[in-house]
Amino acid sequence: GAVVSQHPSRVICKSGTSVKIECRSLDFQATTMFWYRQFPKQSLMLMATSNEGSKATYEQGVEKDKFLINHASLTLSTLTVTSAHPEDSSFYICSASGVDTQYFGPGTRLTVL
Amino acid sequence: RKEVEQDPGPFNVPEGATVAFNCTYSNSASQSFFWYRQDCRKEPKLLMSVYSSGNEDGRFTAQLNRASQYISLLIRDSKLSDSATYLCVVMPLSGGYNKLIFGAGTRLAVHP
């Protein structure tokens, strides 16, 4: 299957700082990428749909000014968590849209102290 | 009501057992269905797609009942390596973005 990478895999930061997470599709071009968040023992929740060359589409309840998404090329989307707080600590996973399904990155575990 | 509902488990079964997971979805216009597997602290990985006619992949059999909006996964001859969380996933009609809706998952623990 297709390969999607995420960087960093783990980040610990202080409250109030911003954290950028990169998602790359390594062997195909992805016009659409998705960003999910997963809290412990809960399902993946879609945060936003990232479209190359245009603004992201955010799900209801997700603050677009807090979770900045940039999809500048067909192989890279970035999620920036601005002014992170402890309640933002979670597992953030990106995926790239294929023909019939999505290919997931390995995830980024964010811990905000 | 959640869009995709699953029994959270856990299902604790011995090696060699047969185990079945169920899932219901609320959007009757959903077009594609999948089972994903997620290991602890890892990303989900596609296990299999689910087709209306039912489909089998080795020890795994998936069934879809569109009238009842019900999806199932059967695992035969369970292995220790099958221990994971199984996610029922639905793709609604959404205008081309392949948006996926995940259930909360059913945990399976296979013991010797």
Short mmCIF file of all heavy atoms in Angstrom, two decimals, chain A residues 34 38 43 46 51 59 91 97-102 104-106 109, chain B residues 34 36 38 41-44 46 87 91 97-100 102-104:
data_model
loop_
_atom_site.label_atom_id
_atom_site.label_comp_id
_atom_site.label_asym_id
_atom_site.label_seq_id
_atom_site.Cartn_x
_atom_site.Cartn_y
_atom_site.Cartn_z
N PHE A 34 -6.17 14.24 5.28
CA PHE A 34 -7.08 14.40 6.41
C PHE A 34 -6.27 14.43 7.70
O PHE A 34 -5.25 13.75 7.82
CB PHE A 34 -8.06 13.22 6.48
CG PHE A 34 -8.93 13.08 5.25
CD1 PHE A 34 -8.49 12.31 4.19
CD2 PHE A 34 -10.15 13.71 5.17
CE1 PHE A 34 -9.27 12.17 3.05
CE2 PHE A 34 -10.95 13.56 4.04
CZ PHE A 34 -10.51 12.80 2.98
N GLN A 38 -7.07 11.49 18.16
CA GLN A 38 -7.58 10.35 18.91
C GLN A 38 -7.17 10.48 20.37
O GLN A 38 -5.97 10.45 20.70
CB GLN A 38 -7.07 9.03 18.33
CG GLN A 38 -7.68 7.80 18.98
CD GLN A 38 -7.21 6.51 18.35
OE1 GLN A 38 -6.08 6.40 17.90
NE2 GLN A 38 -8.08 5.51 18.31
N SER A 43 -12.44 6.85 19.56
CA SER A 43 -12.24 6.64 18.13
C SER A 43 -11.49 7.81 17.52
O SER A 43 -11.34 8.87 18.13
CB SER A 43 -13.58 6.47 17.43
OG SER A 43 -14.31 7.67 17.48
N LEU A 46 -12.28 13.02 12.96
CA LEU A 46 -11.79 13.87 11.89
C LEU A 46 -11.81 15.32 12.33
O LEU A 46 -12.82 15.82 12.82
CB LEU A 46 -12.67 13.68 10.64
CG LEU A 46 -12.28 14.51 9.42
CD1 LEU A 46 -10.91 14.10 8.90
CD2 LEU A 46 -13.33 14.36 8.32
N ASN A 51 -6.91 20.37 1.52
CA ASN A 51 -6.93 20.31 0.07
C ASN A 51 -5.76 21.10 -0.50
O ASN A 51 -5.57 22.27 -0.15
CB ASN A 51 -8.24 20.90 -0.46
CG ASN A 51 -9.45 20.26 0.17
OD1 ASN A 51 -9.63 19.06 0.07
ND2 ASN A 51 -10.26 21.05 0.84
N GLU A 59 -14.06 20.37 10.58
CA GLU A 59 -15.26 19.75 11.12
C GLU A 59 -15.84 20.65 12.21
O GLU A 59 -15.15 21.50 12.80
CB GLU A 59 -14.94 18.37 11.69
CG GLU A 59 -14.49 17.38 10.65
CD GLU A 59 -15.55 17.09 9.59
OE1 GLU A 59 -16.66 16.65 9.96
OE2 GLU A 59 -15.26 17.33 8.40
N PHE A 91 -3.23 12.06 20.29
CA PHE A 91 -2.55 11.36 19.19
C PHE A 91 -3.11 11.95 17.90
O PHE A 91 -4.32 11.86 17.66
CB PHE A 91 -2.84 9.86 19.30
CG PHE A 91 -2.03 8.98 18.41
CD1 PHE A 91 -0.67 9.15 18.26
CD2 PHE A 91 -2.63 7.93 17.72
CE1 PHE A 91 0.09 8.31 17.45
CE2 PHE A 91 -1.89 7.08 16.91
CZ PHE A 91 -0.53 7.27 16.77
N SER A 97 -5.57 10.65 0.83
CA SER A 97 -6.67 10.01 0.12
C SER A 97 -6.18 9.28 -1.11
O SER A 97 -5.56 9.86 -1.99
CB SER A 97 -7.70 11.07 -0.27
OG SER A 97 -8.81 10.47 -0.90
N GLY A 98 -6.49 7.97 -1.15
CA GLY A 98 -6.20 7.18 -2.33
C GLY A 98 -7.45 7.01 -3.16
O GLY A 98 -8.45 7.68 -2.92
N VAL A 99 -7.42 6.07 -4.07
CA VAL A 99 -8.56 5.88 -4.98
C VAL A 99 -9.79 5.41 -4.21
O VAL A 99 -10.89 5.92 -4.39
CB VAL A 99 -8.20 4.88 -6.09
CG1 VAL A 99 -9.42 4.58 -6.95
CG2 VAL A 99 -7.06 5.42 -6.95
N ASP A 100 -9.61 4.41 -3.36
CA ASP A 100 -10.76 3.80 -2.70
C ASP A 100 -10.77 3.95 -1.19
O ASP A 100 -11.77 3.66 -0.56
CB ASP A 100 -10.80 2.29 -3.01
CG ASP A 100 -11.01 2.04 -4.49
OD1 ASP A 100 -11.81 2.78 -5.09
OD2 ASP A 100 -10.37 1.11 -5.03
N THR A 101 -9.65 4.36 -0.63
CA THR A 101 -9.61 4.48 0.82
C THR A 101 -8.53 5.49 1.20
O THR A 101 -8.07 6.26 0.36
CB THR A 101 -9.35 3.11 1.49
OG1 THR A 101 -9.49 3.24 2.91
CG2 THR A 101 -7.96 2.58 1.16
N GLN A 102 -8.16 5.50 2.46
CA GLN A 102 -7.14 6.43 2.93
C GLN A 102 -5.95 5.64 3.46
O GLN A 102 -6.09 4.53 3.98
CB GLN A 102 -7.70 7.30 4.05
CG GLN A 102 -8.81 8.23 3.60
CD GLN A 102 -9.39 9.03 4.74
OE1 GLN A 102 -8.74 9.23 5.77
NE2 GLN A 102 -10.60 9.51 4.56
N PHE A 104 -2.84 5.88 6.12
CA PHE A 104 -2.58 6.62 7.34
C PHE A 104 -1.09 6.76 7.63
O PHE A 104 -0.31 5.84 7.36
CB PHE A 104 -3.26 5.94 8.53
CG PHE A 104 -4.75 6.14 8.52
CD1 PHE A 104 -5.57 5.30 7.80
CD2 PHE A 104 -5.31 7.19 9.23
CE1 PHE A 104 -6.94 5.49 7.78
CE2 PHE A 104 -6.67 7.40 9.22
CZ PHE A 104 -7.49 6.55 8.50
N GLY A 105 -0.73 7.92 8.17
CA GLY A 105 0.60 8.09 8.71
C GLY A 105 0.70 7.41 10.05
O GLY A 105 -0.32 6.99 10.62
N PRO A 106 1.91 7.30 10.60
CA PRO A 106 2.12 6.59 11.86
C PRO A 106 1.68 7.36 13.09
O PRO A 106 1.69 6.83 14.19
CB PRO A 106 3.63 6.35 11.88
CG PRO A 106 4.18 7.45 11.05
CD PRO A 106 3.17 7.73 9.99
N ARG A 109 2.37 11.77 18.69
CA ARG A 109 1.84 11.86 20.04
C ARG A 109 2.29 13.18 20.65
O ARG A 109 3.47 13.42 20.83
CB ARG A 109 2.32 10.68 20.88
CG ARG A 109 1.56 10.53 22.19
CD ARG A 109 1.69 9.11 22.75
NE ARG A 109 1.16 8.11 21.86
CZ ARG A 109 -0.13 7.80 21.73
NH1 ARG A 109 -1.03 8.45 22.43
NH2 ARG A 109 -0.52 6.85 20.91
N PHE B 34 -15.43 -0.56 5.68
CA PHE B 34 -14.13 -1.17 5.89
C PHE B 34 -14.00 -1.67 7.32
O PHE B 34 -14.67 -1.17 8.23
CB PHE B 34 -13.01 -0.13 5.66
CG PHE B 34 -13.12 0.62 4.36
CD1 PHE B 34 -13.82 1.81 4.31
CD2 PHE B 34 -12.51 0.15 3.22
CE1 PHE B 34 -13.93 2.52 3.13
CE2 PHE B 34 -12.62 0.85 2.02
CZ PHE B 34 -13.32 2.04 1.98
N TYR B 36 -10.75 -1.78 9.88
CA TYR B 36 -9.36 -1.44 10.11
C TYR B 36 -8.93 -2.10 11.41
O TYR B 36 -9.74 -2.36 12.31
CB TYR B 36 -9.18 0.08 10.27
CG TYR B 36 -9.04 0.85 8.97
CD1 TYR B 36 -10.14 1.06 8.15
CD2 TYR B 36 -7.81 1.37 8.58
CE1 TYR B 36 -10.01 1.78 6.97
CE2 TYR B 36 -7.68 2.10 7.41
CZ TYR B 36 -8.78 2.30 6.60
OH TYR B 36 -8.66 3.01 5.43
N GLN B 38 -6.20 -1.56 14.63
CA GLN B 38 -5.30 -0.61 15.25
C GLN B 38 -4.63 -1.26 16.44
O GLN B 38 -5.30 -1.71 17.38
CB GLN B 38 -6.05 0.67 15.69
CG GLN B 38 -5.11 1.75 16.21
CD GLN B 38 -5.82 3.06 16.51
OE1 GLN B 38 -7.01 3.08 16.81
NE2 GLN B 38 -5.09 4.18 16.45
N ARG B 41 -1.27 2.37 20.41
CA ARG B 41 -0.41 3.53 20.15
C ARG B 41 0.14 3.56 18.72
O ARG B 41 1.21 4.13 18.47
CB ARG B 41 0.73 3.58 21.17
CG ARG B 41 0.24 3.62 22.61
CD ARG B 41 1.39 3.47 23.59
NE ARG B 41 2.05 4.75 23.84
CZ ARG B 41 1.63 5.65 24.71
NH1 ARG B 41 0.54 5.44 25.40
NH2 ARG B 41 2.30 6.77 24.89
N LYS B 42 -0.60 2.92 17.81
CA LYS B 42 -0.19 2.93 16.41
C LYS B 42 -1.33 3.47 15.55
O LYS B 42 -2.45 3.64 16.02
CB LYS B 42 0.13 1.50 15.95
CG LYS B 42 1.25 0.83 16.70
CD LYS B 42 2.59 1.33 16.24
CE LYS B 42 3.71 0.50 16.85
NZ LYS B 42 5.02 1.01 16.45
N GLU B 43 -1.00 3.71 14.27
CA GLU B 43 -2.04 4.17 13.36
C GLU B 43 -2.93 3.01 12.92
O GLU B 43 -2.50 1.85 12.94
CB GLU B 43 -1.41 4.86 12.14
CG GLU B 43 -0.86 3.91 11.07
CD GLU B 43 0.53 3.42 11.38
OE1 GLU B 43 0.97 3.47 12.56
OE2 GLU B 43 1.19 2.96 10.42
N PRO B 44 -4.14 3.29 12.46
CA PRO B 44 -4.99 2.22 11.93
C PRO B 44 -4.44 1.69 10.61
O PRO B 44 -3.89 2.44 9.82
CB PRO B 44 -6.34 2.90 11.70
CG PRO B 44 -6.20 4.30 12.08
CD PRO B 44 -4.78 4.59 12.39
N LEU B 46 -5.61 -0.80 7.26
CA LEU B 46 -6.73 -1.42 6.59
C LEU B 46 -6.64 -2.93 6.68
O LEU B 46 -5.64 -3.54 6.28
CB LEU B 46 -6.77 -0.98 5.13
CG LEU B 46 -7.90 -1.57 4.28
CD1 LEU B 46 -9.26 -1.12 4.80
CD2 LEU B 46 -7.72 -1.17 2.81
N LEU B 87 -11.59 -1.59 14.13
CA LEU B 87 -12.38 -0.40 13.88
C LEU B 87 -13.30 -0.60 12.68
O LEU B 87 -12.86 -0.97 11.60
CB LEU B 87 -11.45 0.80 13.58
CG LEU B 87 -10.38 1.10 14.62
CD1 LEU B 87 -9.42 2.16 14.10
CD2 LEU B 87 -11.01 1.56 15.92
N MET B 91 -17.68 5.03 4.85
CA MET B 91 -17.45 6.19 3.99
C MET B 91 -18.79 6.66 3.46
O MET B 91 -19.41 5.98 2.64
CB MET B 91 -16.51 5.85 2.83
CG MET B 91 -16.21 7.05 1.93
SD MET B 91 -15.31 6.60 0.44
CE MET B 91 -13.78 6.01 1.13
N TYR B 97 -14.45 13.36 -1.40
CA TYR B 97 -13.25 13.48 -0.58
C TYR B 97 -12.88 12.20 0.16
O TYR B 97 -11.96 12.19 0.93
CB TYR B 97 -13.40 14.62 0.43
CG TYR B 97 -13.25 15.99 -0.18
CD1 TYR B 97 -13.95 17.06 0.34
CD2 TYR B 97 -12.40 16.22 -1.26
CE1 TYR B 97 -13.81 18.33 -0.20
CE2 TYR B 97 -12.26 17.47 -1.81
CZ TYR B 97 -12.96 18.53 -1.27
OH TYR B 97 -12.82 19.78 -1.80
N ASN B 98 -13.62 11.12 -0.05
CA ASN B 98 -13.31 9.87 0.64
C ASN B 98 -13.26 10.05 2.16
O ASN B 98 -12.41 9.48 2.83
CB ASN B 98 -11.98 9.29 0.16
CG ASN B 98 -12.06 8.79 -1.26
OD1 ASN B 98 -13.14 8.64 -1.81
ND2 ASN B 98 -10.93 8.55 -1.87
N LYS B 99 -14.14 10.82 2.70
CA LYS B 99 -14.19 11.04 4.15
C LYS B 99 -14.58 9.75 4.85
O LYS B 99 -15.46 9.04 4.40
CB LYS B 99 -15.23 12.12 4.42
CG LYS B 99 -15.41 12.53 5.85
CD LYS B 99 -16.40 13.71 5.89
CE LYS B 99 -16.79 14.07 7.29
NZ LYS B 99 -17.68 15.26 7.31
N LEU B 100 -13.89 9.43 5.94
CA LEU B 100 -14.15 8.20 6.68
C LEU B 100 -14.71 8.52 8.06
O LEU B 100 -14.27 9.46 8.72
CB LEU B 100 -12.87 7.38 6.85
CG LEU B 100 -12.21 6.84 5.58
CD1 LEU B 100 -10.94 6.07 5.93
CD2 LEU B 100 -13.17 5.97 4.80
N PHE B 102 -15.24 6.74 11.72
CA PHE B 102 -14.74 5.60 12.49
C PHE B 102 -15.65 5.29 13.67
O PHE B 102 -16.14 6.18 14.36
CB PHE B 102 -13.34 5.93 13.05
CG PHE B 102 -12.25 5.86 12.03
CD1 PHE B 102 -12.03 6.90 11.15
CD2 PHE B 102 -11.44 4.74 11.96
CE1 PHE B 102 -11.02 6.83 10.20
CE2 PHE B 102 -10.41 4.67 11.02
CZ PHE B 102 -10.21 5.71 10.14
N GLY B 103 -15.82 4.00 13.91
CA GLY B 103 -16.38 3.58 15.18
C GLY B 103 -15.30 3.65 16.25
O GLY B 103 -14.12 3.83 15.94
N ALA B 104 -15.72 3.49 17.48
CA ALA B 104 -14.77 3.59 18.59
C ALA B 104 -13.88 2.37 18.73
O ALA B 104 -12.88 2.40 19.44
CB ALA B 104 -15.51 3.85 19.90
#
